[in-house]
Amino acid sequence: MSQRLKLEVEAVDAVEGRDLVIFAAEGLSLARVAESLAGDGAVALVARAAAAESFKAKAFSALAMPSPAGAGYERLIVVGIGPAGERAMLDFVKLGGAVAGRLTGGRHADIVLALPEGPVEPAQAADLALGLALRSYRFDRYKTKTKDKETAEPLKATLRVENPGAVKKAVKQADALAGGVLLARELVNEPPNVLYPEEFADRARKLEKLGVEVEILDEKDLKKIGMRALLGVGQGSRRESRVAVMRWNGAGKHDQPVAFVGKGVTFDTGGISLKPGAGMEDMKGDMAGAACVTGLMQALAGRKAKVNAIGVIGLVENMPDGNAQRPGDIVASLSGQTIEIINTDAEGRLVLADVLWYTQERFKPRFMIDLATLTGAILVALAQEHAGLFTNSDELAERLSAAGTATGETVWRMPLGKAYDKMIDSKFADMKNSAGRHAGSITAAQFLQRHVNDVPWAHLDIAGTGMGAKDSEINRSWGPGWGVRLLDRLVRDHYEG
């Protein structure tokens, strides 16, 4: 699990930690095994504390109290799971996050994973373990002040279950997924003077230790290939651009791969079309799409997914020096189509245009999904509640929507159409890179679609979900690692085996 969590799985036969976590349904109903381990007097103690604190055992609520006299632990933590009639809808990932939020670093907790109606399934235990790992993550490596023990020490927990063998196997899969999400969070949170294109590429190369084949294309390679649209974005920076190609071969040699493409603008000033200064520091997160793809590739490799997967990320820095791209310039993309630059702050679509074309031509994938913090307009439309989904495939739309509902990383389908496509026609080139304010997210997606042939394709605009995340049961990080769980679930449900 994460560096902040030390997790073990053992049988329900002992209490060794300083904290004991048990679950209560509405009406303060407890599992018999939880009552037994909590000790004599625990049921009455919980009832008194609940009455004093108006604790109703609503899902994800919690109540902490000193242990009964003579118990073999110090603190009893009761976490609510709501009414029995809603048990089928209980989100065990969030439940794990709620538990982690009540634990203290450096202390050891026993978590009795049993409900009043019986033991949990291994998959539910794995989801709870995932929630524990995600909630325990913090990004504080650049803080130099002495940390107190609670924040400096990892959480230590033991899942007490009736079937430890099966649960250990399921938790191992969850561990791989957690690792992918936390890698994505780490990348988004890093400052731009640390994580620039070359450094990002080097971190992607570290996936080789998991069996991922990684190829890094430098500027010489990109010029030879013809990625002029991507190179144009980065030409104002002293940091050279890169493209990282990651391949996980978990299926048959001749099985058609699935492909994921990420926008990796490691810092976006807007270029010559300079952004306002207020809030520009957040543009270190303009590579959240590339972070998601990298985290996904780690997750797939870590759990040895039975799929052939391609991850391709375009890594650039958009800066305004004397060599920077100008509004009015015309560049030719890898597809051969020409692009009039209207606004140098509409740069992500230029990066993706070349990388999408390259991916479909080289790998002939079963589908392509790109992720990008592409437009502020998607925030106007959907806030931070959903990512915008644009696609040429109804099947892909349905599968992504279902995966979003299952994981909580939800998407909302937006329209594409000829009228919107006409808005990016240019007087001087085949297309322009910006159509202005109206329908900004849609016209950006139309631009990308012009660089996709007949392959099923989906574009996820994650400007509202990929960075600046709101606090939740499973995340207290600015960079949420959004999309890793969504796409892992898509692959797991439809493209493995």
Side-chain angles (χ1 to χ4, degrees):
M1 282 295 171
S2 79
Q3 60 183 341
R4 298 284 189 177
L5 176 66
K6 305 296 184 183
L7 185 67
E8 297 178 344
V9 179
E10 301 292 347
V12 188
D13 58 6
V15 175
E16 299 175 353
R18 296 168 64 188
D19 297 329
L20 180 66
V21 179
I22 60 176
F23 298 98
E26 190 177 61
L28 300 184
S29 177
L30 305 175
R32 288 184 180 180
V33 66
E35 290 183 15
S36 176
L37 286 178
D40 294 338
V43 173
L45 176 64
V46 170
R48 290 196 304 272
E53 298 293 333
S54 299
F55 176 74
K56 304 298 183 183
K58 292 181 179 179
F60 317 131
S61 63
L63 181 65
M65 66 204 78
S67 65
Y73 58 95
E74 298 175 2
R75 186 172 62 151
L76 179 63
I77 302 171
V78 183
V79 178
I81 55 174
E86 298 177 6
R87 193 75 72 248
M89 303 299 292
L90 183 63
D91 188 329
F92 278 83
V93 180
K94 286 185 178 180
L95 186 62
V99 172
R102 292 289 176 160
L103 301 183
T104 303
R107 294 172 66 96
H108 183 198
D110 283 293
I111 302 170
V112 183
L113 202 43
L115 308 182
E117 55 267 31
V120 302
E121 298 294 327
Q124 294 170 327
D127 280 348
L128 186 133
L130 176 62
L132 285 168
L134 297 183
R135 177 63 179 267
S136 66
Y137 170 82
R138 284 186 293 275
F139 185 80
D140 56 9
R141 69 174 50 149
Y142 298 108
K143 292 187 175 182
T144 59
K145 293 182 179 180
T146 302
K147 305 177 182 70
D148 60 35
K149 187 175 182 180
E150 179 174 345
T151 59
E153 295 292 324
L155 300 180
K156 300 176 182 178
T158 299
L159 294 184
R160 295 289 175 180
V161 299
E162 290 194 6
N163 49 351
V167 170
K168 285 179 181 179
K169 184 177 180 180
V171 166
K172 186 175 181 180
Q173 293 277 303
D175 185 27
L177 179 54
V181 175
L182 299 189
L183 172 61
R185 288 182 180 179
E186 200 84 351
L187 291 168
V188 174
N189 285 329
E190 284 282 20
N193 60 317
V194 172
L195 192 76
Y196 44 89
E198 188 175 5
E199 172 64 18
F200 197 135
D202 287 344
R203 296 199 188 187
R205 193 186 292 279
K206 291 180 180 179
L207 298 187
E208 290 177 335
K209 65 184 179 183
L210 294 175
V212 178
E213 296 177 7
V214 182
E215 178 184 2
I216 307 300
L217 305 176
D218 61 18
E219 287 202 348
K220 183 178 179 181
D221 298 320
L222 299 176
K223 289 174 183 176
K224 184 176 180 180
I225 291 168
M227 292 197 191
R228 291 173 290 272
L230 181 151
L231 288 168
V233 175
Q235 72 187 38
S237 172
R238 69 181 183 88
R239 305 287 193 182
E240 288 196 358
S241 301
R242 294 287 186 270
V243 167
V245 180
M246 297 163 280
R247 305 181 67 173
W248 167 248
N249 300 311
K253 182 178 180 180
H254 300 293
D255 284 14
Q256 193 176 11
V258 296
F260 304 94
V261 171
K263 170 190 171 183
V265 180
T266 59
F267 192 75
D268 181 22
T269 64
I272 296 298
S273 305
L274 194 67
K275 292 178 181 290
M280 194 191 288
E281 67 276 8
D282 287 351
M283 288 300 98
K284 70 175 187 176
D286 208 18
M287 33 57 70
C292 171
V293 171
T294 308
L296 174 66
M297 295 302 292
Q298 173 167 319
L300 295 177
R303 67 177 184 82
K304 301 191 183 307
K306 295 178 174 61
V307 67
N308 292 337
I310 308 294
V312 188
I313 53 176
L315 305 170
V316 302
E317 185 179 62
N318 187 21
M319 299 291 281
D321 84 345
N323 193 47
Q325 190 165 248
R326 297 159 290 256
D329 284 359
I330 294 177
V331 297
S333 69
L334 181 58
S335 70
Q337 300 172 93
T338 55
I339 304 165
E340 180 189 7
I341 307 302
I342 301 297
N343 187 331
T344 63
D345 194 24
E347 85 299 332
R349 64 202 70 180
L350 300 173
V351 173
L352 290 174
D354 278 352
V355 177
L356 284 167
W357 192 268
Y358 176 80
T359 301
Q360 71 181 0
E361 291 298 297
R362 179 177 174 184
F363 297 110
K364 306 295 190 291
R366 190 169 177 179
F367 67 73
M368 287 194 302
I369 297 174
D370 76 76
L371 300 96
T373 48
L374 205 64
T375 67
I378 205 67
L379 270 160
V380 175
L382 301 175
Q384 292 180 283
E385 302 307 313
H386 306 276
L389 165 63
F390 303 82
T391 182
N392 61 9
S393 167
D394 291 339
E395 179 181 79
L396 206 49
E398 291 169 4
R399 291 178 174 181
L400 280 165
S401 294
T405 299
T407 60
E409 294 187 334
T410 54
V411 300
W412 192 270
R413 192 173 185 179
M414 303 286 284
L416 293 167
K418 291 182 179 179
Y420 294 115
D421 192 66
K422 187 175 178 60
M423 292 171 67
I424 60 170
D425 286 342
S426 166
K427 294 179 180 179
F428 305 106
D430 295 325
M431 69 194 81
K432 54 189 177 183
N433 78 324
S434 176
R437 275 185 74 190
H438 294 165
S441 297
I442 302 173
T443 54
Q446 293 288 167
F447 181 95
L448 297 180
Q449 190 175 36
R450 290 199 185 190
H451 296 85
V452 174
N453 285 330
D454 296 328
V455 61
W457 156 79
H459 160 58
L460 296 176
D461 193 332
I462 62 171
T465 58
M467 58 181 175
K470 298 183 292 185
D471 284 350
S472 71
E473 293 290 358
I474 59 174
N475 181 51
R476 290 295 192 272
S477 168
W478 185 83
W482 193 98
V484 176
R485 292 195 300 130
L486 169 76
L487 298 179
D488 178 82
R489 183 62 178 258
L490 173 74
V491 171
R492 187 189 298 267
D493 286 351
H494 299 290
Y495 299 101
E496 287 193 65

